[in-house]
Every structure is written in structure tokens, then in C-alpha cells.
Amino acid sequence: MSKVALITGITGQDGSYLAGLLLEKKYEVFGLVRRSSSENFERISHIKNSIHLLQGDLTDQSSLISAIELSQPDELYNLAAQSFVPTSWNQPILTGEVTGLGVTRVLEALKSVKPDTRFYQASSSEMFGKVIESPQTEKTPFYPRSPYGVSKVYGHFITVNYRESYDIFACSGILFNHESPRRGLEFVTRKVTNAVAEIKLGLANELKLGNIEAKRDWGYAYDYVEMMWRMLQQKEPEDYVIATGKSHSVRELCEVAFSHVDLNYKDFVKTDENLRRPAEVDHLIGDASKAKKKLDWEPKVSFEEMIRMMVDSDIDKLGSK
């Protein structure tokens, strides 16, 4: 009998890659999607006929109960969130409802319908925020610097709480930034690679960015979703930092992306103070020693390879329009 997985956020970057991975492993895959007037299934269009989509929302308890009753999952991956940090300042209450309380609703639904389901929570390096130590490990205290980060801390600790209180196999992956050609255009990596493609094709002539000295630990999304699956195959539920252990500035990101098409980023990048965050997170870098040891994991795709892959993908997309 094949295993059954339910993925919230299946239409996002991570959800689409995870769904593909689980299909390769012969899972029956269910995905939770919100009902909206403009459904965006672009990232899962190539596998849409191989998965089951269920309507539901992290703000609606009854829809979560129905989805679990219908799918009867062996594993549930909670990847849905209001996940864009700048939006979290404009919509802090919505962010808390979805990214924070939404986790509790999923866990409550599991507890009442199918408590033997293994649960994965998508935690985030944004929980570290104003970092207390570098690099950050599973034991580093959290100091979130945005409503998104605060909501993720709530989601993280409520997962720990349900694991310890109700003996649910629940674990969190504290994933540092991870990117791919499927990343949303609002995120800085994709914003840069798409702008490089536009400039190369003569469709734009500048790129406006906020703090280009901010540093992040950027990995490749497909490498990271494999880790989500590995966490749920362990004997005991534990939380893991997933990161490359290498950090790069937004300036370096621009250098790699522009040089890939033989352009100098200095000719095109303009800084705009209006694009800075109200509270900046300057430097995130993760220590994934525990994951490497216990889960036998190493990231396969380098930062430079990933950025070049994203530039090529954006040039293909724009060139084919």
C-alpha cells in the first residue's frame, strides 16, 4: 500500500517540489488549495493530473477537518502561510491568523481526526531575526523582527507543545532561505534574476533594491524539500536547522546574476530607501550539523549554480512570451 500525504501550500514553491518528490516515491498526494477568483496552478500544472486537490484554508477549522477526513494522510506537511515578510507589516493580523494560529488549527484537526499522522511544520530562519549568535543552531534563542517571524515562532512552539502534550509525531524544519526558478517574483532572489532577464532582453533598464548589504544563507529549494520528507521518516520527531552554512549578500547575488549574462550590476542596480524593512534582519547563517549527522544530508546545488539556473529560467520565460 502506498503512503498518503497531504500538503498545505501545494501551489507554492516548496509545495510543488515536495509533491513531485513524493509522487516519485509512489505516494498518493493530496493538496489543500484556497478557493480564489484567480487560481494559480502554474507550479503544479505538470503534475496536476497525478494529485488530488481539496479546497480548504488555514483560517477555517471545518475545512481542515474535512481535508484530513477525506485524505486520511500518513504524513501532513504544513507549508501554507502568509510567507512574504514585507506584507506581514501591512497585514500583521492576517499573518498571525494564517502563519501562527493556522498551525494550531491543523494540529487540532489532526488530534481529533487522525492523531497517528506524522506532521511537518515549516519553520523559518526569520525566527532568529536579530541574531543572538552566529551561526544559528536548533538551540539558538529566537528574536523575530517582523510579524511574519513572530507568527512563525508561535507556529514552531505550538508544534513542540502538541508533540509533548499529545504524543503527536510533529517536527519542524527551521529552513533558511531557499530559492529556485519557482520562487515568487516578490522575493529578492527572483526579483533580481527576473530583472536581469528583462534588462538583458531590453525590457527594462534598472533594478531598485533596498538594503543590498543584508546577508542570507541561500540554498536550493529542491534540496530542502527532500529534508522535509527525511524528517518524517525518523524514529523520533525532532526539529532541524536546514541551511548551507554559507552566507551571501544581496550585492553578491546581483554580481552573480548580472555577470552570468555579461553585465555589470553597478550599471543597473539603484538603492531605494523606501524598500528597506522597518526592522532589518542583517545576517542569517545556519549550522545544519545535526541534519547532516542524523539525516545524512548535504546540499547539492551551490548558490552560484542556483542563481545562474534562475536567470536562465527567467530569460526562457520572458523570451517565449
Side-chain angles (χ1 to χ4, degrees):
M1 277 246 312
S2 61
K3 280 187 180 178
V4 176
L6 172 60
I7 303 170
T8 73
I10 195 168
T11 59
Q13 169 188 260
D14 292 6
S16 65
Y17 279 122
L18 178 63
L21 177 77
L22 295 177
L23 287 173
E24 286 174 19
K25 296 183 181 297
K26 308 302 182 199
Y27 277 63
E28 184 176 6
V29 177
F30 289 80
L32 193 74
V33 293
R34 278 182 304 161
R35 175 76 186 94
S36 69
S37 56
S38 57
E39 293 175 333
N40 183 8
F41 296 143
E42 182 188 350
R43 294 186 184 97
I44 56 170
S45 58
H46 61 298
I47 56 171
K48 194 157 176 257
N49 293 334
S50 305
I51 58 181
H52 313 283
L53 297 180
L54 305 173
Q55 285 189 1
D57 195 296
L58 261 59
T59 62
D60 181 57
Q61 187 72 34
S62 62
S63 69
L64 298 174
I65 290 169
S66 296
I68 293 166
E69 284 175 343
L70 280 165
S71 58
Q72 291 292 308
D74 299 295
E75 298 169 5
L76 194 158
Y77 297 84
N78 184 40
L79 311 185
Q82 191 301 99
S83 61
F84 187 44
V85 175
T87 297
S88 75
W89 275 287
N90 297 328
Q91 297 181 301
I93 295 168
L94 175 70
T95 301
E97 279 285 351
V98 177
T99 308
L101 281 173
V103 186
T104 315
R105 293 188 189 99
V106 176
L107 285 164
E108 266 300 293
L110 272 186
K111 180 166 74 79
S112 62
V113 178
K114 199 171 183 297
D116 62 338
T117 299
R118 295 190 165 206
F119 176 78
Y120 171 86
Q121 166 60 13
S123 285
S124 166
S125 60
E126 288 285 334
M127 300 189 304
F128 295 120
K130 187 176 180 180
V131 297
I132 309 294
E133 63 180 9
S134 278
Q136 293 90 54
T137 72
E138 292 81 5
K139 294 189 168 83
T140 302
F142 299 137
Y143 194 148
R145 297 268 280 173
S146 67
Y148 170 75
V150 172
S151 301
K152 279 292 185 184
V153 171
Y154 177 94
H156 181 85
F157 277 124
I158 202 69
T159 300
V160 173
N161 194 257
Y162 272 65
R163 175 170 73 216
E164 295 176 352
S165 303
Y166 302 114
D167 199 27
I168 290 174
F169 191 109
C171 58
S172 292
I174 306 171
L175 271 58
F176 280 64
N177 294 61
H178 46 289
E179 319 297 318
S180 75
R182 297 184 195 173
R183 192 55 143 154
L185 281 166
E186 67 272 26
F187 292 88
V188 69
T189 46
R190 185 74 197 293
K191 182 178 178 180
V192 169
T193 61
N194 188 67
V196 168
E198 287 182 334
I199 290 166
K200 184 66 177 176
L201 295 170
L203 303 172
N205 53 25
E206 70 172 14
L207 167 61
K208 288 184 178 178
L209 294 171
N211 179 14
I212 66 171
E213 303 308 332
K215 290 187 169 182
R216 295 289 183 273
D217 184 327
W218 276 300
Y220 178 48
Y222 189 80
D223 287 346
Y224 284 35
V225 299
E226 185 190 346
M227 288 305 301
M228 300 173 185
W229 174 78
R230 288 194 186 196
M231 284 181 217
L232 295 196
Q233 313 314 308
Q234 304 307 302
K235 284 186 178 174
E236 299 295 331
E238 294 185 60
D239 303 326
Y240 295 88
V241 161
I242 306 301
T244 68
K246 298 174 184 174
S247 78
H248 301 272
S249 66
V250 177
R251 183 187 295 277
E252 289 174 76
L253 160 63
C254 292
E255 285 175 359
V256 173
F258 278 93
S259 65
H260 183 52
V261 293
D262 301 317
L263 295 174
N264 186 341
Y265 81 96
K266 293 177 182 176
D267 297 333
F268 304 98
V269 173
K270 306 283 189 291
T271 54
D272 183 344
E273 291 301 311
N274 293 324
L275 294 174
R276 284 179 175 264
R277 296 178 175 187
E280 186 57 78
V281 174
D282 292 315
H283 191 191
L284 293 173
I285 180 167
D287 178 354
S289 301
K290 179 181 174 182
K292 288 175 182 179
K293 182 180 175 186
K294 290 200 167 187
L295 304 175
D296 190 27
W297 177 76
E298 287 280 352
K300 300 182 184 76
V301 177
S302 74
F303 171 74
E304 292 80 7
E305 287 174 303
M306 177 182 71
I307 297 305
R308 290 194 284 264
M309 178 198 307
M310 290 172 69
V311 171
D312 288 341
S313 170
D314 281 327
I315 287 174
D316 285 344
K317 279 180 190 160
L318 289 169
S320 64
K321 281 184 178 175

